[in-house]
Amino acid sequence: MDIKAKISDIVDKIKSNPSLKDDFTKDPEKTIEKLIGVDIPDGVADKVVDGVKAALASDQLSGIAGKIKGLF
């Protein structure tokens, strides 16, 4: 399993669906397991959750930076 590819796929799905975004905020591990259709072990789940959170935060920061650049 390519974890980076899975994280990218999960991030795309979460960004495109506000309901999934809410579910991820409430229970990230359960939401990820639902999206990939597999019950993943806790150690792996933590890494995937952290990766998805980082990707979502990075996307939000780049969006904010773009808006700030537009002001100047």
Side-chain angles (χ1 to χ4, degrees), residues 2 17 24 27 37-38 51 60-61 63 72:
D2 183 8
N17 186 334
F24 181 76
D27 191 349
V38 176
Q60 289 174 343
L61 289 176
F72 296 102

Side-chain angles (χ1 to χ4, degrees), residues 36-56:
I36 63 173
V38 176
D39 183 24
I40 50 180
D42 289 340
V44 175
D46 293 340
K47 291 178 184 177
V48 174
V49 168
D50 290 344
V52 171
K53 285 181 179 179
L56 289 172

